[in-house]
Amino acid sequence: MNSNTIKENKTPNKKIETMNISGAEAIIHCLLAEGVDLIYGYPGGAIMPVYDELYKFQDRLTHILTRHEQGATHAAQGYARVSGKVGIAMATSGPGATNLVTGLADAQIDSTPMVCITGQVGSHLLGSDAFQETDIVGISTPVTKWNYQITKASEIPEILAKAFYIAKSGRPGPVLIDITKDAQFDTFDFSYEKCTGVRSYKPVPKPNTNAIAEAAKLINEAKKPMIVFGQGVILGEAEAELKQFVEKAGIPAAWTILGVAAMDSEHPLNVGMVGMHGNYAPNVLTNECDLLIAIGMRFDDRVTGNLETYAKQAKVIHFEIDPAEINKNVTSDVAVLGNSKETLQLILPLIDKKNHDEWHNEFKKRYDIEYNEVIKNDIKPTKEGLTMGEVIEEINIASKNSAVIVTDVGQHQMIACRYAKFNQTKSNITSGGLGTMGFALPAAIGAKQGAMDREVVAIIGDGGYQMTIQELGVIFQHNIPVKIVVLNNDHLGMVRQWQELFFEKRYASTVMVNPDFVKIAEGYHIESKRISERSELKNTIKEMMASKNPYFLEVKVEKEDNVFPMIPTGASVSDIRLK
Amino acid sequence: MEKNRYTVSVYSENNVGLLNRISGIFLKRHINIESLNVSKSEIENVSKFTVVIFTDHETARKIVGQIEKQIEVIKAYFHLDDETIYQESVLFKIDSSLLFDERNIQNIIKDCNATIVTVSRDFFVLAKTGRKFEVDEMYDKLKPFGIMQFVRSGRIAVTKAEMPISVLLAEFKENK
Ligand SMILES: Cc1ncc(C[n+]2csc(CCOP(=O)(O)OP(=O)(O)O)c2C)c(N)n1
Ligand SMILES: [Mg+2]
């Protein structure tokens, strides 16, 4: 252990002080003071002083050696998304740092709190094209909420405190701190105080009572109101408030792919997913409602389809924490700025109790159409080959809707988000805004470590799986009991689908020639199985869910299935296709 | 949508890398920066970026929103030309012989309200401050005689309306 005695940081804002320690050791104390106990990372020359301290502090800080720095970022993201805490990824300079970029971009667009720490060459070498020097501050600027290069040890406490504050306050996001090697070696008198504000940064706008009153008026007057909620509800921890609001106002509520777990899937007023592969009713009725209430969502183009024809007949209320999102894509009649928990609490007493039964029936009618044309064939297929939908359905049954579902990107992601059911928040971990193939396997590791008491199931395509497959090493080494389900269609299925529909079946580079996935898992000593028959499905899923260990399951599914419904790019939400 | 020239004014902390962060927001939307000036502002330790772009009102508004949300940005505004008082400065370096040989040059200096910054044996330097078209006019007049060097500063502007940055800073402090 370390020779300098540090007082335990029991009271969060208490000042911690210690004399003459190295920058590297100071970094560890900052992390401990912020309540960090888990770091994902990969060592190398420029970050070695910090790793040396990690060695000394291993009883208090666990470092997980991912097999690639990208894996470290996605694991940190998975951890952050299930726990609501800040995820930490660490890497060396140069290639280590550039390998973080995809995860940073993913966390930035999906508002995930993450702090990345990179080593940098010594400050005397900066700008000289030194060995493993890259301008990671320059490279990461557009994909970080904030970043900073530390060149003096004495800057460490204040900058790291600021990093944590910025990453998790307001609309969360990733922060990268680059620390030169000399700043890690130099010693100084350390003292730490948590950051409570930055003078140029206003994380949460104050709710405007006029806007809230105006919004309440529109809600009370509406005949055909509809809610679309997003991840802002989860990040604002406003799930209970959302439920109260929906129930009191009696308004059908749809969700974006990142918002799904904010509301119980089986709630009678839950009308499903909006967007490109969302449900028929909420997409079509977006263009029939008289009031669209957006809560903590940002009108992504995958949600809105063609903006020229999006909800033009409706008044729009936008509950949002980030002023830059107001009128960015869709113009709102009333913008309710603020934290969703606070604004929903404020509006609740102003809302009349109602039930819009007739209007709700319009959703049910269209659900029935979708059920007969699409859903039935997806989850209760009669054809020979297995479908992705029926696999998800069996997982729902076996987990009783309580699992954390981590998905990769592609057809399996859309199917999983359409059919997975949730009865708890912070349960759908997917790469929404960036659509990062390779996200799921490392994110599932982080999700499991962030919620050890929960079942974590990763749903991954055969393509994306091979982008970060090396993280099986982490699962094996630490015996992290995640359940990995590869839905193998031997294709880059989503791209193949587009080629079929929009490129006259010219299948350029979308057939996957795959290895024996079971053998690979066996190579990592992970219990594994492959199935291709419906008769094996139920029991295998049960067996997988009952296992206390990591488990790999490959399901051979139909090779050329398509995901429907679908809003073709550039089309209107109401032109959603059922086939 | 109708395009116009907008002056974007950004009040910010004076930190390394912020220029990169702000210019990246224009880059992301493929907007060309016509002129850029960074200086101190009326408030101690607060910098001011003055950026000139040619775009439509909606794009300007969204860009300013995205600039303003950057952590170290205090406030950003955008204005049309007639809402601001703005100027640019230029320097011309010209062969000294011309100053004595060509009467015209002396007339140009007078007509354009330019000043002579320095005269040496080989060259003299003229300075002019004004609007872009005035500066361009002087450039066109001098061009036939040969300009050894020319440089124009970024636009600097103050708005006719108030920019209550000090109030904002006080508010930020309160919120802490
Ligand atoms: C890193 C990355 N590269 C490329 C893409 C484009 N892309 C989106 S879905 C997809 C196919 C995914 O195939 P697979 O993982 O097998 O999933 P499936 O669609 O077959 O379920 C591709 C290539 C992407 N989203 N991410
Ligand atoms: Mg596939």
Side-chain angles (χ1 to χ4, degrees), chain A residues 35-58:
Chain A
V36 173
D37 50 16
L38 191 60
I39 299 173
Y40 298 96
Y42 213 105
I47 192 81
M48 282 186 69
V50 177
Y51 273 79
D52 196 41
E53 295 300 329
L54 282 171
Y55 181 83
K56 297 175 195 159
F57 281 86
Q58 51 188 288

PDB file of all heavy atoms in Angstrom, chain A residues 35-58:
ATOM      1  N   GLY A  35     -15.678   8.214  -5.997  1.00  0.00           N
ATOM      2  CA  GLY A  35     -16.433   6.972  -5.790  1.00  0.00           C
ATOM      3  C   GLY A  35     -16.194   5.916  -6.864  1.00  0.00           C
ATOM      4  O   GLY A  35     -16.948   4.958  -6.982  1.00  0.00           O
ATOM      5  N   VAL A  36     -15.126   6.072  -7.630  1.00  0.00           N
ATOM      6  CA  VAL A  36     -14.832   5.084  -8.681  1.00  0.00           C
ATOM      7  C   VAL A  36     -14.245   3.827  -8.037  1.00  0.00           C
ATOM      8  O   VAL A  36     -13.384   3.920  -7.159  1.00  0.00           O
ATOM      9  CB  VAL A  36     -13.816   5.667  -9.688  1.00  0.00           C
ATOM     10  CG1 VAL A  36     -13.366   4.610 -10.691  1.00  0.00           C
ATOM     11  CG2 VAL A  36     -14.423   6.869 -10.397  1.00  0.00           C
ATOM     12  N   ASP A  37     -14.739   2.647  -8.460  1.00  0.00           N
ATOM     13  CA  ASP A  37     -14.077   1.427  -7.992  1.00  0.00           C
ATOM     14  C   ASP A  37     -13.713   0.508  -9.160  1.00  0.00           C
ATOM     15  O   ASP A  37     -13.135  -0.547  -8.970  1.00  0.00           O
ATOM     16  CB  ASP A  37     -14.934   0.690  -6.951  1.00  0.00           C
ATOM     17  CG  ASP A  37     -16.356   0.492  -7.407  1.00  0.00           C
ATOM     18  OD1 ASP A  37     -16.610   0.641  -8.616  1.00  0.00           O
ATOM     19  OD2 ASP A  37     -17.213   0.187  -6.558  1.00  0.00           O
ATOM     20  N   LEU A  38     -14.060   0.932 -10.369  1.00  0.00           N
ATOM     21  CA  LEU A  38     -13.858   0.083 -11.533  1.00  0.00           C
ATOM     22  C   LEU A  38     -13.396   0.918 -12.718  1.00  0.00           C
ATOM     23  O   LEU A  38     -13.984   1.954 -13.028  1.00  0.00           O
ATOM     24  CB  LEU A  38     -15.201  -0.586 -11.865  1.00  0.00           C
ATOM     25  CG  LEU A  38     -15.221  -1.706 -12.869  1.00  0.00           C
ATOM     26  CD1 LEU A  38     -14.335  -2.860 -12.415  1.00  0.00           C
ATOM     27  CD2 LEU A  38     -16.648  -2.202 -13.051  1.00  0.00           C
ATOM     28  N   ILE A  39     -12.312   0.459 -13.353  1.00  0.00           N
ATOM     29  CA  ILE A  39     -11.774   1.171 -14.518  1.00  0.00           C
ATOM     30  C   ILE A  39     -11.582   0.157 -15.635  1.00  0.00           C
ATOM     31  O   ILE A  39     -11.120  -0.961 -15.390  1.00  0.00           O
ATOM     32  CB  ILE A  39     -10.384   1.768 -14.184  1.00  0.00           C
ATOM     33  CG1 ILE A  39     -10.492   2.762 -13.047  1.00  0.00           C
ATOM     34  CG2 ILE A  39      -9.750   2.416 -15.391  1.00  0.00           C
ATOM     35  CD1 ILE A  39      -9.126   3.240 -12.566  1.00  0.00           C
ATOM     36  N   TYR A  40     -11.923   0.525 -16.852  1.00  0.00           N
ATOM     37  CA  TYR A  40     -11.614  -0.307 -18.005  1.00  0.00           C
ATOM     38  C   TYR A  40     -10.465   0.350 -18.751  1.00  0.00           C
ATOM     39  O   TYR A  40     -10.473   1.569 -18.939  1.00  0.00           O
ATOM     40  CB  TYR A  40     -12.829  -0.426 -18.922  1.00  0.00           C
ATOM     41  CG  TYR A  40     -14.000  -1.081 -18.221  1.00  0.00           C
ATOM     42  CD1 TYR A  40     -15.002  -0.307 -17.639  1.00  0.00           C
ATOM     43  CD2 TYR A  40     -14.090  -2.457 -18.108  1.00  0.00           C
ATOM     44  CE1 TYR A  40     -16.067  -0.895 -16.973  1.00  0.00           C
ATOM     45  CE2 TYR A  40     -15.148  -3.062 -17.445  1.00  0.00           C
ATOM     46  CZ  TYR A  40     -16.133  -2.275 -16.878  1.00  0.00           C
ATOM     47  OH  TYR A  40     -17.174  -2.860 -16.214  1.00  0.00           O
ATOM     48  N   GLY A  41      -9.485  -0.432 -19.161  1.00  0.00           N
ATOM     49  CA  GLY A  41      -8.385   0.221 -19.853  1.00  0.00           C
ATOM     50  C   GLY A  41      -7.348  -0.717 -20.406  1.00  0.00           C
ATOM     51  O   GLY A  41      -7.511  -1.943 -20.404  1.00  0.00           O
ATOM     52  N   TYR A  42      -6.280  -0.076 -20.872  1.00  0.00           N
ATOM     53  CA  TYR A  42      -5.196  -0.801 -21.533  1.00  0.00           C
ATOM     54  C   TYR A  42      -3.915  -0.001 -21.345  1.00  0.00           C
ATOM     55  O   TYR A  42      -3.887   1.193 -21.636  1.00  0.00           O
ATOM     56  CB  TYR A  42      -5.507  -0.915 -23.037  1.00  0.00           C
ATOM     57  CG  TYR A  42      -5.011  -2.182 -23.674  1.00  0.00           C
ATOM     58  CD1 TYR A  42      -5.898  -3.207 -23.994  1.00  0.00           C
ATOM     59  CD2 TYR A  42      -3.667  -2.346 -23.979  1.00  0.00           C
ATOM     60  CE1 TYR A  42      -5.445  -4.377 -24.595  1.00  0.00           C
ATOM     61  CE2 TYR A  42      -3.211  -3.519 -24.574  1.00  0.00           C
ATOM     62  CZ  TYR A  42      -4.101  -4.528 -24.874  1.00  0.00           C
ATOM     63  OH  TYR A  42      -3.663  -5.688 -25.457  1.00  0.00           O
ATOM     64  N   PRO A  43      -2.851  -0.608 -20.837  1.00  0.00           N
ATOM     65  CA  PRO A  43      -1.653   0.171 -20.527  1.00  0.00           C
ATOM     66  C   PRO A  43      -0.745   0.406 -21.739  1.00  0.00           C
ATOM     67  O   PRO A  43      -0.948  -0.164 -22.797  1.00  0.00           O
ATOM     68  CB  PRO A  43      -0.931  -0.704 -19.505  1.00  0.00           C
ATOM     69  CG  PRO A  43      -1.319  -2.093 -19.878  1.00  0.00           C
ATOM     70  CD  PRO A  43      -2.712  -2.019 -20.450  1.00  0.00           C
ATOM     71  N   GLY A  44       0.233   1.244 -21.550  1.00  0.00           N
ATOM     72  CA  GLY A  44       1.234   1.539 -22.573  1.00  0.00           C
ATOM     73  C   GLY A  44       2.165   2.596 -22.024  1.00  0.00           C
ATOM     74  O   GLY A  44       1.922   3.140 -20.940  1.00  0.00           O
ATOM     75  N   GLY A  45       3.213   2.890 -22.771  1.00  0.00           N
ATOM     76  CA  GLY A  45       4.300   3.736 -22.289  1.00  0.00           C
ATOM     77  C   GLY A  45       3.862   4.986 -21.564  1.00  0.00           C
ATOM     78  O   GLY A  45       4.257   5.229 -20.417  1.00  0.00           O
ATOM     79  N   ALA A  46       3.034   5.782 -22.195  1.00  0.00           N
ATOM     80  CA  ALA A  46       2.748   7.115 -21.679  1.00  0.00           C
ATOM     81  C   ALA A  46       1.804   7.131 -20.474  1.00  0.00           C
ATOM     82  O   ALA A  46       1.628   8.164 -19.844  1.00  0.00           O
ATOM     83  CB  ALA A  46       2.166   7.988 -22.794  1.00  0.00           C
ATOM     84  N   ILE A  47       1.230   5.969 -20.144  1.00  0.00           N
ATOM     85  CA  ILE A  47       0.314   5.944 -18.995  1.00  0.00           C
ATOM     86  C   ILE A  47       0.872   5.028 -17.896  1.00  0.00           C
ATOM     87  O   ILE A  47       0.240   4.767 -16.878  1.00  0.00           O
ATOM     88  CB  ILE A  47      -1.112   5.516 -19.460  1.00  0.00           C
ATOM     89  CG1 ILE A  47      -2.197   5.733 -18.391  1.00  0.00           C
ATOM     90  CG2 ILE A  47      -1.166   4.075 -19.915  1.00  0.00           C
ATOM     91  CD1 ILE A  47      -2.721   7.115 -18.290  1.00  0.00           C
ATOM     92  N   MET A  48       2.107   4.577 -18.069  1.00  0.00           N
ATOM     93  CA  MET A  48       2.665   3.600 -17.118  1.00  0.00           C
ATOM     94  C   MET A  48       2.748   4.086 -15.682  1.00  0.00           C
ATOM     95  O   MET A  48       2.491   3.311 -14.753  1.00  0.00           O
ATOM     96  CB  MET A  48       4.011   3.081 -17.611  1.00  0.00           C
ATOM     97  CG  MET A  48       3.791   2.034 -18.709  1.00  0.00           C
ATOM     98  SD  MET A  48       5.281   1.243 -19.244  1.00  0.00           S
ATOM     99  CE  MET A  48       5.694   0.290 -17.799  1.00  0.00           C
ATOM    100  N   PRO A  49       3.068   5.361 -15.436  1.00  0.00           N
ATOM    101  CA  PRO A  49       3.082   5.791 -14.031  1.00  0.00           C
ATOM    102  C   PRO A  49       1.728   5.581 -13.347  1.00  0.00           C
ATOM    103  O   PRO A  49       1.663   5.193 -12.179  1.00  0.00           O
ATOM    104  CB  PRO A  49       3.438   7.282 -14.128  1.00  0.00           C
ATOM    105  CG  PRO A  49       4.170   7.428 -15.428  1.00  0.00           C
ATOM    106  CD  PRO A  49       3.555   6.415 -16.355  1.00  0.00           C
ATOM    107  N   VAL A  50       0.647   5.802 -14.064  1.00  0.00           N
ATOM    108  CA  VAL A  50      -0.684   5.604 -13.477  1.00  0.00           C
ATOM    109  C   VAL A  50      -0.933   4.121 -13.232  1.00  0.00           C
ATOM    110  O   VAL A  50      -1.456   3.724 -12.188  1.00  0.00           O
ATOM    111  CB  VAL A  50      -1.787   6.202 -14.380  1.00  0.00           C
ATOM    112  CG1 VAL A  50      -3.160   5.924 -13.789  1.00  0.00           C
ATOM    113  CG2 VAL A  50      -1.586   7.699 -14.571  1.00  0.00           C
ATOM    114  N   TYR A  51      -0.518   3.278 -14.188  1.00  0.00           N
ATOM    115  CA  TYR A  51      -0.702   1.837 -13.986  1.00  0.00           C
ATOM    116  C   TYR A  51       0.111   1.345 -12.796  1.00  0.00           C
ATOM    117  O   TYR A  51      -0.310   0.444 -12.064  1.00  0.00           O
ATOM    118  CB  TYR A  51      -0.396   1.053 -15.282  1.00  0.00           C
ATOM    119  CG  TYR A  51      -1.635   0.964 -16.141  1.00  0.00           C
ATOM    120  CD1 TYR A  51      -2.027   2.041 -16.925  1.00  0.00           C
ATOM    121  CD2 TYR A  51      -2.465  -0.164 -16.111  1.00  0.00           C
ATOM    122  CE1 TYR A  51      -3.195   2.005 -17.675  1.00  0.00           C
ATOM    123  CE2 TYR A  51      -3.631  -0.212 -16.852  1.00  0.00           C
ATOM    124  CZ  TYR A  51      -3.991   0.872 -17.633  1.00  0.00           C
ATOM    125  OH  TYR A  51      -5.159   0.828 -18.346  1.00  0.00           O
ATOM    126  N   ASP A  52       1.260   1.962 -12.588  1.00  0.00           N
ATOM    127  CA  ASP A  52       2.077   1.593 -11.429  1.00  0.00           C
ATOM    128  C   ASP A  52       1.315   1.891 -10.135  1.00  0.00           C
ATOM    129  O   ASP A  52       1.356   1.113  -9.174  1.00  0.00           O
ATOM    130  CB  ASP A  52       3.394   2.381 -11.487  1.00  0.00           C
ATOM    131  CG  ASP A  52       4.437   1.783 -10.576  1.00  0.00           C
ATOM    132  OD1 ASP A  52       4.527   0.534 -10.520  1.00  0.00           O
ATOM    133  OD2 ASP A  52       5.143   2.558  -9.902  1.00  0.00           O
ATOM    134  N   GLU A  53       0.596   2.986 -10.119  1.00  0.00           N
ATOM    135  CA  GLU A  53      -0.213   3.308  -8.941  1.00  0.00           C
ATOM    136  C   GLU A  53      -1.431   2.381  -8.837  1.00  0.00           C
ATOM    137  O   GLU A  53      -1.826   1.996  -7.736  1.00  0.00           O
ATOM    138  CB  GLU A  53      -0.664   4.772  -8.973  1.00  0.00           C
ATOM    139  CG  GLU A  53       0.468   5.780  -8.882  1.00  0.00           C
ATOM    140  CD  GLU A  53       1.294   5.656  -7.598  1.00  0.00           C
ATOM    141  OE1 GLU A  53       0.724   5.265  -6.561  1.00  0.00           O
ATOM    142  OE2 GLU A  53       2.513   5.924  -7.659  1.00  0.00           O
ATOM    143  N   LEU A  54      -2.003   2.030  -9.986  1.00  0.00           N
ATOM    144  CA  LEU A  54      -3.140   1.100  -9.968  1.00  0.00           C
ATOM    145  C   LEU A  54      -2.721  -0.223  -9.323  1.00  0.00           C
ATOM    146  O   LEU A  54      -3.496  -0.871  -8.620  1.00  0.00           O
ATOM    147  CB  LEU A  54      -3.648   0.835 -11.393  1.00  0.00           C
ATOM    148  CG  LEU A  54      -4.523   1.929 -12.003  1.00  0.00           C
ATOM    149  CD1 LEU A  54      -4.766   1.655 -13.490  1.00  0.00           C
ATOM    150  CD2 LEU A  54      -5.852   2.046 -11.260  1.00  0.00           C
ATOM    151  N   TYR A  55      -1.479  -0.600  -9.579  1.00  0.00           N
ATOM    152  CA  TYR A  55      -0.952  -1.821  -8.980  1.00  0.00           C
ATOM    153  C   TYR A  55      -0.955  -1.707  -7.450  1.00  0.00           C
ATOM    154  O   TYR A  55      -1.352  -2.609  -6.728  1.00  0.00           O
ATOM    155  CB  TYR A  55       0.463  -2.043  -9.517  1.00  0.00           C
ATOM    156  CG  TYR A  55       1.132  -3.298  -9.009  1.00  0.00           C
ATOM    157  CD1 TYR A  55       0.883  -4.528  -9.614  1.00  0.00           C
ATOM    158  CD2 TYR A  55       2.023  -3.243  -7.924  1.00  0.00           C
ATOM    159  CE1 TYR A  55       1.492  -5.676  -9.155  1.00  0.00           C
ATOM    160  CE2 TYR A  55       2.638  -4.393  -7.470  1.00  0.00           C
ATOM    161  CZ  TYR A  55       2.377  -5.608  -8.082  1.00  0.00           C
ATOM    162  OH  TYR A  55       2.977  -6.745  -7.623  1.00  0.00           O
ATOM    163  N   LYS A  56      -0.528  -0.522  -6.978  1.00  0.00           N
ATOM    164  CA  LYS A  56      -0.450  -0.333  -5.520  1.00  0.00           C
ATOM    165  C   LYS A  56      -1.830  -0.219  -4.885  1.00  0.00           C
ATOM    166  O   LYS A  56      -2.003  -0.516  -3.718  1.00  0.00           O
ATOM    167  CB  LYS A  56       0.352   0.940  -5.212  1.00  0.00           C
ATOM    168  CG  LYS A  56       1.793   0.884  -5.686  1.00  0.00           C
ATOM    169  CD  LYS A  56       2.471   2.225  -5.440  1.00  0.00           C
ATOM    170  CE  LYS A  56       3.779   2.341  -6.218  1.00  0.00           C
ATOM    171  NZ  LYS A  56       4.186   3.732  -6.393  1.00  0.00           N
ATOM    172  N   PHE A  57      -2.795   0.258  -5.645  1.00  0.00           N
ATOM    173  CA  PHE A  57      -4.130   0.504  -5.082  1.00  0.00           C
ATOM    174  C   PHE A  57      -5.139  -0.569  -5.483  1.00  0.00           C
ATOM    175  O   PHE A  57      -6.333  -0.350  -5.405  1.00  0.00           O
ATOM    176  CB  PHE A  57      -4.655   1.874  -5.533  1.00  0.00           C
ATOM    177  CG  PHE A  57      -4.075   3.024  -4.766  1.00  0.00           C
ATOM    178  CD1 PHE A  57      -2.867   3.605  -5.154  1.00  0.00           C
ATOM    179  CD2 PHE A  57      -4.734   3.528  -3.648  1.00  0.00           C
ATOM    180  CE1 PHE A  57      -2.329   4.661  -4.449  1.00  0.00           C
ATOM    181  CE2 PHE A  57      -4.197   4.593  -2.939  1.00  0.00           C
ATOM    182  CZ  PHE A  57      -2.994   5.163  -3.336  1.00  0.00           C
ATOM    183  N   GLN A  58      -4.643  -1.750  -5.879  1.00  0.00           N
ATOM    184  CA  GLN A  58      -5.578  -2.723  -6.457  1.00  0.00           C
ATOM    185  C   GLN A  58      -6.611  -3.246  -5.464  1.00  0.00           C
ATOM    186  O   GLN A  58      -7.624  -3.805  -5.875  1.00  0.00           O
ATOM    187  CB  GLN A  58      -4.841  -3.865  -7.148  1.00  0.00           C
ATOM    188  CG  GLN A  58      -3.778  -4.531  -6.318  1.00  0.00           C
ATOM    189  CD  GLN A  58      -2.990  -5.518  -7.165  1.00  0.00           C
ATOM    190  OE1 GLN A  58      -3.505  -6.552  -7.504  1.00  0.00           O
ATOM    191  NE2 GLN A  58      -1.755  -5.178  -7.509  1.00  0.00           N
TER     192      GLN A  58
END
